[in-house]
């Protein structure tokens, strides 16, 4: 399995919206609605933000939303806040109980 | 409140075996609702799934690490362990254990997303 492809970095100003893409293949992202997204602040463990493409765990702000089209999943953060500055990783189920992560995207809030 | 805690040596010599344990508190690793897994993150790099297991005893490994990885379970201690053999400097990373929620559809269940993580433990491979 190759890592899912994410942009290395994205940026936005407070209040704006940004979208992070996550491109896989027909064997992972394209085959299963089991894409999840994680937020990681420096020195901290990752935190689940989105699962099953678009579902939010309890306690996660509704400013975070997810979607998928074909082999590409996306994470959108609306109303950017300073605290959203972090690394974001996508992850997809790839069959046979195997998982593949994206390379990560550094979000900078300007 | 479920918590996971990794433990093990912070320094391992090249060619030796890296061994880590994840202790679960506040819940049982024998629950049929969850899988459990290991993920690692080399310094300054991204996350890599290492492997997972289900309470039934089934284990699943990253194909790129499969020949060197073993995940074992001690239900009496509510712990699971990672062994990674023949380590090199490339295995230097923060190692996380995590719980996986399941997703079931039409009678088939799949591991889904890593919803609870340990704090991680740094392992350095060096002589």
């Amino acid at each position: 399995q190759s890592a899912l492809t994410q942009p290395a970095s994205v940026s936005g100003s407070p209040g704006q919206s940004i979208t992070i893409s996550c491109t896989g293949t027909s064997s992972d992202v394209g085959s299963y609605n089991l894409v999840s997204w994680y937020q990681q602040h420096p020195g901290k463990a990752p935190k689940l933000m989105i699962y099953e493409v678009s579902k939010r765990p309890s306690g996660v702000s509704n400013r975070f939303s997810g979607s998928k089209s074909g082999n590409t999943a996306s994470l959108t953060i609306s109303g950017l806040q300073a605290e959203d500055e972090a690394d974001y990783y996508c992850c997809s189920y790839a069959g046979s109980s195997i998982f593949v992560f994206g390379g990560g995207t550094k979000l900078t809030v300007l | 409140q479920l918590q996971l805690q990794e433990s093990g040596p912070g320094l391992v010599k090249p060619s030796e075996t890296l061994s880590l344990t994840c202790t679960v508190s506040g819940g049982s690793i024998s629950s049929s609702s969850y899988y459990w897994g290991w993920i690692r993150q080399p310094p300054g790099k991204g996350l890599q799934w290492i492997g997972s297991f289900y309470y039934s005893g089934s284990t699943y490994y990253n194909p790129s690490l499969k020949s060197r990885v073993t995940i074992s379970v001690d239900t009496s201690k509510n712990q699971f362990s990672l062994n990674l053999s023949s380590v090199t400097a490339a295995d230097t990373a923060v190692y996380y254990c995590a719980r996986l929620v399941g997703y079931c559809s039409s009678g088939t269940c799949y591991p889904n997303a890593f919803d609870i993580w340990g704090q991680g433990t740094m392992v350095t491979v060096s002589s």
Side-chain angles (χ1 to χ4, degrees):
Chain A
Q1 269 74 19
S2 298
L4 306 176
T5 301
Q6 299 181 233
S9 63
V10 297
S11 62
S13 299
Q16 290 185 332
S17 295
I18 64 94
T19 297
I20 300 172
S21 62
C22 170
T23 301
T25 69
S26 57
S27 298
D28 38 61
V29 175
S31 286
Y32 306 95
N33 289 325
L34 294 177
V35 176
S36 51
W37 288 90
Y38 303 86
Q39 176 192 66
Q40 186 180 36
H41 287 110
K44 301 294 187 182
K47 175 187 176 183
L48 178 65
M49 305 301 285
I50 295 286
Y51 67 101
E52 292 177 28
V53 175
S54 61
K55 297 180 179 179
R56 280 188 309 275
S58 174
V60 172
S61 171
N62 59 9
R63 297 186 298 105
F64 291 82
S65 62
S67 62
K68 191 187 86 167
S69 177
N71 296 337
T72 299
S74 298
L75 172 71
T76 297
I77 309 174
S78 60
L80 267 181
Q81 299 179 1
E83 68 215 46
D84 299 331
E85 185 162 294
D87 294 327
Y88 290 84
Y89 294 90
C90 61
C91 179
S92 177
Y93 182 76
S96 302
S97 297
I98 289 173
F99 288 88
V100 59
F101 280 94
T105 298
K106 180 177 180 59
L107 168 62
T108 300
V109 180
L110 302 171
Chain B
Q1 177 182 350
L2 189 84
Q3 292 186 316
L4 294 84
Q5 177 69 57
E6 306 88 350
S7 60
L11 181 64
V12 180
K13 290 182 168 56
S15 80
E16 295 189 344
T17 295
L18 179 160
S19 296
L20 296 174
T21 296
C22 181
T23 300
V24 179
S25 58
S28 172
I29 63 173
S30 299
S31 169
S32 61
S33 299
Y34 303 106
Y35 295 69
W36 305 86
W38 289 96
I39 304 100
R40 71 179 183 179
Q41 184 173 34
K45 297 188 177 181
L47 300 169
Q48 182 184 36
W49 173 72
I50 299 171
S52 304
F53 76 91
Y54 191 49
Y55 84 104
S56 62
S58 298
T59 52
Y60 314 93
Y61 300 128
N62 187 317
S64 68
L65 299 171
K66 188 173 184 177
S67 63
R68 300 194 292 130
V69 174
T70 302
I71 293 176
S72 58
V73 182
D74 187 338
T75 54
S76 67
K77 294 182 179 179
N78 219 32
Q79 296 176 333
F80 59 100
S81 297
L82 169 70
N83 275 6
L84 181 65
S85 64
S86 305
V87 297
T88 69
D91 296 309
T92 294
V94 175
Y95 285 77
Y96 296 98
C97 58
R99 186 180 79 171
L100 276 155
V101 293
Y103 166 81
C104 296
S105 175
S106 303
T108 302
C109 293
Y110 310 88
N112 183 355
F114 302 91
D115 67 334
I116 299 177
W117 296 62
Q119 66 184 28
T121 187
M122 179 69 198
V123 179
T124 301
V125 178
S126 175
S127 55

